[in-house]
Amino acid sequence: MTVFYQILFSSVLRHLDAETIHKVSFGALRCAAAVPGVAATAGRMLGPREPELTVHALGREFPGPLGLAAGFDKNAEGPEALAALGFGFIEIGTVTAQPQPGNPRPRLVRLVKDRAIVNRMGFNNEGSALVAERLHHRQGRPGPILGVNIGKTKVTPEDEAEGDYATSARRLAPYADYMVVNVSSPNTPGLRDLQSVERLRPILSAVREALTEAGRPELPLLVKIAPDLVDEDVDAVADLALDLGLDGIIATNTTISREGLTSSAEEIEAAGGGGLSGAPLKERSLEVLRRLRVRVGDRVTLIAVGGIDTPEDAWARIRAGATLVQGYTGMVYGGPLWPRRIHRGLARLVRAAGHASVADAVGTDVTVAAPTSASADTAPVTTA
């Protein structure tokens, strides 16, 4: 199956519009999963079943540490179908308070030589009211652990961002297993400015208040940050997470950098602007993750995303402090069996390292700072 997909991708898929292929393949997957028994059978065959892969985090028991990152299923159209491919959890979105069409097409371009994707989708989604209605009809049915990723509506002024995020949080809280505040996409003008602590603090506080108003004060709240933050800003976000009692940080979103690519200058220019995902993010995303782990230790759950292509990539993230990992571009290039290969490879690596559980390996490669003062510039003193 893997060889067949690689032949299909090389000979056909790579030459077709990426967004069209995404819609067609996702639609076909949902149709297949709608056949009685298909999703359940596929889930049993492809899902993580090795006992050493079970992860306890964010108040939930995850069957495996690999989840699908936000961006694939923006409107919660098929989380069960996607989970049947073998993911341990699914993150939908990014969802905004108001529906919006996103940026003009083409807005999703592959850089095949780099196993990367450039996207400038612009948070195209049906809006949090409709997504909440769709999730409401899903209630009562068995399904995967579901993360909900929320962002700012493009037309909402930056000084009204708190209310925009709070609206989506209030609507979607009843249906989420955890919620993510996305302030790190490069495709909404001004959004990344909200990563500064001064701007981020009131947004996160407003979302927390909205969760309480929705009757979900305990719902885990996370923030997703960009790989392009300078190190001092990464530290500031880490300190803010501790100060506000956030449950987690997702590191990282896509990058606006084009450094180190093997694609030709003409190919890169033709791909245009937007966020770059995939293998080129590997090193910087790992650096940000390590820095966060040094700063927060195990007091905040870290989820790693960006450049995870192989089981070894996922294993490096776990040893650097990630309790969970996510992928998207890796599946585009690896095919539908990619989640199963990552989980199976992780299980082998866990056993080879002599651990009883993947959780035993979290942060083993990182020395963390003293927990007495998250914002103090102290030297590392203990080993995780």
Side-chain angles (χ1 to χ4, degrees):
M1 182 66 179
T2 301
V3 174
F4 172 76
Y5 179 80
Q6 296 303 325
I7 294 172
L8 178 65
F9 182 87
S10 298
S11 59
V12 178
L13 298 182
R14 63 176 292 180
H15 302 293
L16 302 176
D17 177 71
E19 186 172 352
T20 299
I21 292 299
H22 171 84
K23 289 184 177 180
V24 171
S25 60
F26 190 22
L29 177 63
R30 297 198 307 272
C31 288
V35 177
V38 169
T41 300
R44 287 193 296 271
M45 293 175 59
L46 302 178
R49 51 183 180 268
E50 295 85 352
E52 54 266 60
L53 294 180
T54 301
V55 176
H56 296 271
L58 303 175
R60 302 288 187 274
E61 182 177 280
F62 293 74
L66 175 68
L68 179 63
F72 195 100
D73 187 0
K74 295 178 181 294
N75 296 305
E77 295 178 286
E80 290 82 9
L82 291 164
L85 296 178
F87 288 105
F89 61 105
I90 304 296
E91 189 173 307
I92 65 161
T94 296
V95 184
T96 55
Q98 301 177 41
Q100 55 187 31
N103 294 321
R105 296 179 66 169
R107 52 192 182 181
L108 193 66
V109 183
R110 309 179 197 90
L111 292 176
V112 178
K113 293 177 184 176
D114 291 288
R115 293 180 71 84
I117 291 176
V118 173
N119 100 76
R120 49 183 167 274
M121 302 297 288
F123 287 171
N124 56 308
N125 73 105
E126 296 173 336
S128 57
L130 194 150
V131 173
E133 181 180 349
R134 183 172 290 129
L135 291 174
H136 177 74
H137 292 300
R138 175 181 174 268
Q139 279 190 309
R141 293 184 293 174
I145 293 174
L146 190 71
V148 175
N149 185 303
I150 59 174
K152 185 184 79 68
T153 307
K154 183 177 182 179
V155 299
T156 299
E158 289 181 35
D159 59 2
E160 298 177 15
E162 296 98 318
D164 194 84
Y165 278 98
T167 295
S168 294
R170 197 176 298 110
R171 289 170 175 168
L172 296 167
Y175 316 108
D177 291 306
Y178 68 86
M179 184 161 290
V180 183
V181 171
N182 184 352
V183 288
S184 51
S185 170
N187 300 317
T188 295
L191 187 76
R192 287 193 167 191
D193 295 339
L194 303 179
Q195 291 179 107
S196 68
V197 169
E198 296 77 13
R199 306 296 301 280
L200 185 55
R201 181 184 294 272
I203 291 172
L204 293 172
S205 297
V207 169
R208 181 73 82 185
E209 183 177 348
L211 298 182
T212 299
E213 292 171 359
R216 299 292 307 278
E218 81 295 344
L219 185 67
L221 179 61
L222 299 83
V223 64
K224 187 170 186 176
I225 64 173
D228 306 314
L229 288 176
V230 298
D231 289 346
E232 292 76 12
D233 288 338
V234 173
D235 293 344
V237 171
D239 294 343
L240 179 63
L242 291 171
D243 185 40
L244 294 180
L246 293 188
D247 299 275
I249 302 172
I250 299 182
T252 62
N253 211 317
T254 58
T255 180
I256 59 174
S257 172
R258 299 294 187 267
E259 293 183 7
L261 299 181
T262 58
S263 298
S264 68
E266 292 77 13
E267 290 172 317
I268 296 170
E269 183 178 358
L276 181 80
S277 64
L281 270 75
K282 189 174 301 187
E283 295 305 320
R284 179 55 183 165
S285 291
L286 184 56
E287 287 175 2
V288 172
L289 175 68
R290 287 180 179 276
R291 192 169 189 94
L292 288 169
R293 177 68 178 191
V294 167
R295 201 76 175 183
V296 304
D298 60 2
R299 292 168 288 172
V300 175
T301 297
L302 301 179
I303 301 179
V305 60
I308 296 174
D309 196 33
T310 67
E312 289 74 20
D313 293 333
W315 182 236
R317 300 309 199 285
I318 289 166
R319 290 185 288 112
T323 301
L324 301 166
V325 297
Q326 293 179 324
Y328 176 168
T329 305
M331 184 172 68
V332 171
Y333 287 99
L337 296 183
W338 180 78
R340 179 59 190 148
R341 290 200 303 275
I342 296 296
H343 272 137
R344 188 161 46 194
L346 268 178
R348 286 197 299 267
L349 290 165
V350 170
R351 291 192 293 267
H355 296 301
S357 167
V358 67
D360 296 337
V362 174
T364 51
D365 282 358
V366 176
T367 301
V368 302
T372 53
S373 178
S375 59
D377 293 325
T378 54
V381 295
T382 61
T383 301

